[in-house]
Amino acid sequence: MDPVRERFSLLRNAITIFGAAVTTTGAVLFLAFFALDLFGFHSNPYIGMLFFLVCPGLFVAGLVIMPVGMWLERRRRVAGRAVWRMEWPQIDLGDKIQRRGAAVFFGSTVLNILIVSVAAYSGIEYMDSPQFCGQLCHEVMQPEWAGYQAGPHSRVACIQCHIGPGAPWFVKSKMSGLRQVYAVTFNTHSRPIPSPVKDLRPARDTCEQCHWPEKFHGDKLRTIREYADDEANTESATTLRMHIGGQSLGRQTPTGIHWHVGAMNRITYVATDDKRQVIPSVTLDDGKGTITEFRAEGVTDAQLAAIEPRVLDCVDCHNRPSHTFAFSAERAVDDALAGGGIDRGMPFVRREAVRVLKASYPEPQAATQGIQSGIERFYRDNYPAVSQAAVRQAVSTVQALYQRNVFPTMKVGWGSYPNNIGHTAFPGCFRCHDDNHKSKSGKVISQDCSLCHTME
């Protein structure tokens, strides 16, 4: 037999034909997804995963299978075994019965493809939903789900920040997800869930799709209301004029709080703890060729050598942008009083609400009962004239505050997660702005209050 013809004859084996089918399928699907992507018919990261990973993977797998089949077929022939031959079915569409059978076959195939496609797309849509992320692993994700629902980004899907568009970050997140599935399955996950998320993609790829430094400018008034533990729940109000700052179109030099992420500045820092609360070194590149390092007193090169610097971005200050919790029972009750959720006219209601919130309960049902009995008993024994409607409203509000912020099974309580906005409950701004970070020339990162706000 002609050598060329003989080599081509090796293609006639089951394994090589299967590889050719896989390659062809991968190629057709790749072209279909390419057309969808080209004309902008999808923005789904899972579709991107199919486009960039699955289809090329099928294509390459088929190309690998084909020569393997040829090699095995050649070994069969060298061993003197019978040559495998594929008998093609005899199809005669002139035969009425075969024609009907073919019509049924192709019709059912199209229907099956349609059903599977719709089911697959629906499944992908569900896996993209916040409900899938927050409720599938109920106990583990319960704190984050509660924080998400009450947070300012409750209408932003989880994948928009945790994955974003494109296949590479999808793959990273799902590889991390596999580890999380293992941890949940074998109950080896951390309690509480660690924060910050180390493999979160840069804020410029997520946060700045809606917020950007040029958008922030001017000042913003903020009033903080606090209440005393006395009988009248005495109110004190602090009004701050926050210098939001940023780099507006008409201003070349960034100002105010958002100076930190101005286009002209690049700030990197080194944190020596997992929660990024201890920052011994900060480096500023002003975009004009001057690079200045500020170090806390006593920090040496050896202490910093093994730590990778991080580029400062939005989430280094806004570190709880979506999963928000009250940092203390006092703050939660003060906000409820300010918002009218608790009747401020009830004697000592601030003190009693904080007391029952900070009590230790073994599980949520015990907390619900303990909060109700604690508040009702106090007013029944000491102030029976207080309206029962006001007592019931206070009980309901305080129970909701507990359910929103405390999760005993996940060891999440008041203050479990530091919040870097401000500097009252946690170091926050003072991680760097402490007058202790100095450059070699003697400059310091100032703790001057007027840099960020003025008192009204």
Side-chain angles (χ1 to χ4, degrees):
M1 181 185 293
D2 178 60
V4 175
R5 187 181 298 272
E6 182 180 3
R7 281 196 293 271
F8 274 103
S9 73
L10 295 175
L11 294 170
R12 294 196 298 269
N13 67 83
I15 296 176
T16 298
I17 292 172
F18 173 74
V22 171
T23 293
T24 303
T25 301
V28 171
L29 289 175
F30 181 83
L31 292 174
F33 287 127
F34 179 77
L36 289 173
D37 188 70
L38 185 65
F39 292 102
F41 286 120
H42 78 84
S43 59
N44 192 303
Y46 292 88
I47 296 296
M49 181 270 293
L50 292 174
F51 176 59
F52 287 110
L53 296 176
V54 175
C55 296
L58 286 174
F59 188 81
V60 172
L63 292 178
V64 172
I65 291 172
M66 290 169 64
V68 170
M70 295 175 67
W71 176 71
L72 291 175
E73 178 64 17
R74 184 174 182 279
R75 290 191 62 184
R76 284 172 53 85
R77 296 184 184 185
V78 170
R81 298 176 186 173
V83 177
W84 181 86
R85 296 186 182 279
M86 182 173 64
E87 297 293 335
W88 294 98
Q90 300 295 319
I91 300 176
D92 182 7
L93 295 180
D95 185 336
K96 186 177 181 180
I97 294 177
Q98 291 195 43
R99 190 165 58 249
R100 286 180 177 177
V104 171
F105 173 77
F106 284 109
S108 60
T109 299
V110 171
L111 180 60
N112 287 337
I113 290 175
L114 181 62
I115 293 172
V116 171
S117 298
V118 171
Y121 188 79
S122 299
I124 288 172
E125 286 294 300
Y126 173 64
M127 286 190 292
D128 279 355
S129 68
Q131 289 74 21
F132 175 83
C133 300
Q135 294 181 304
L136 193 64
C137 301
H138 176 70
E139 177 186 303
V140 178
M141 292 303 296
Q142 188 181 12
E144 304 303 325
W145 177 243
Y148 166 80
Q149 288 181 298
H153 293 88
S154 58
R155 293 191 178 184
V156 179
C158 307
I159 63 167
Q160 295 298 105
C161 296
H162 285 270
I163 299 177
W169 279 95
F170 167 82
V171 175
K172 288 184 179 181
S173 69
K174 293 310 169 188
M175 292 300 291
S176 175
L178 289 176
R179 294 192 297 270
Q180 293 167 12
V181 168
Y182 175 88
V184 171
T185 302
F186 294 98
N187 197 29
T188 60
H189 56 83
S190 300
R191 292 180 174 84
I193 294 174
S195 178
V197 180
K198 296 297 192 297
D199 54 358
L200 199 65
R201 72 185 305 171
R204 294 191 182 279
D205 296 340
T206 52
C207 305
E208 291 190 20
Q209 300 306 304
C210 298
H211 316 278
W212 55 96
E214 291 81 1
K215 181 179 180 179
F216 305 117
H217 54 83
D219 291 349
K220 178 181 179 180
L221 285 178
R222 183 186 177 201
T223 300
I224 303 172
R225 301 185 185 279
E226 298 176 297
Y227 299 87
D229 283 339
D230 56 17
E231 185 175 25
N233 307 297
T234 304
E235 180 185 82
S236 60
T238 303
T239 301
L240 301 175
R241 182 181 293 274
M242 307 300 298
H243 306 316
I244 302 300
Q247 189 168 353
S248 59
L249 295 176
R251 184 190 297 273
Q252 291 197 357
T253 304
T255 60
I257 297 169
H258 285 98
W259 168 91
H260 296 86
V261 289
M264 297 176 62
N265 300 325
R266 184 177 187 273
I267 299 174
T268 59
Y269 70 90
V270 171
T272 55
D273 67 318
D274 290 340
K275 294 184 180 295
R276 298 174 184 162
Q277 296 299 295
V278 181
I279 300 177
S281 173
V282 180
T283 301
L284 168 64
D285 182 346
D286 66 1
K288 301 176 183 178
T290 302
I291 298 176
T292 307
E293 182 188 14
F294 299 85
R295 286 193 185 183
E297 185 176 354
V299 175
T300 64
D301 291 339
Q303 292 173 307
L304 303 177
I307 305 174
E308 183 72 21
R310 172 179 165 81
V311 178
L312 182 80
D313 66 12
C314 308
V315 297
D316 289 299
C317 295
H318 299 273
N319 65 315
R320 304 299 300 179
S322 297
H323 306 280
T324 56
F325 301 97
F327 52 74
S328 68
E330 290 81 359
R331 183 70 262 162
V333 173
D334 286 346
D335 288 343
L337 284 165
I342 300 175
D343 183 356
R344 189 182 151 203
M346 298 172 62
F348 291 107
V349 70
R350 198 262 191 182
R351 184 192 69 186
E352 292 306 303
V354 170
R355 178 181 63 80
V356 295
L357 278 176
K358 295 177 76 171
S360 178
Y361 305 102
E363 44 87 25
Q365 185 60 34
T368 299
Q369 296 172 353
I371 290 170
Q372 179 177 356
S373 62
I375 293 177
E376 288 181 349
R377 185 187 309 112
F378 174 80
Y379 287 100
R380 184 176 61 248
D381 295 345
N382 299 281
Y383 296 92
V386 171
S387 165
Q388 290 301 304
V391 173
R392 286 194 297 270
Q393 180 182 357
V395 168
S396 176
T397 299
V398 175
Q399 288 173 336
L401 292 178
Y402 185 92
Q403 294 163 5
R404 164 76 175 75
N405 293 282
V406 182
F407 306 87
T409 56
M410 284 300 294
K411 299 183 179 179
V412 173
W414 306 107
S416 293
Y417 291 111
N419 191 323
N420 294 332
I421 295 296
H423 47 73
T424 53
F426 303 100
C429 308
F430 291 167
R431 294 176 298 160
C432 303
H433 288 269
D434 58 357
D435 281 337
N436 187 42
H437 286 71
K438 298 181 180 180
S439 69
K440 291 181 178 179
S441 64
K443 292 182 180 179
V444 299
I445 301 179
S446 177
Q447 202 178 54
D448 183 356
C449 300
S450 65
L451 290 174
C452 296
H453 55 71
T454 53
M455 304 285 287
E456 294 291 327

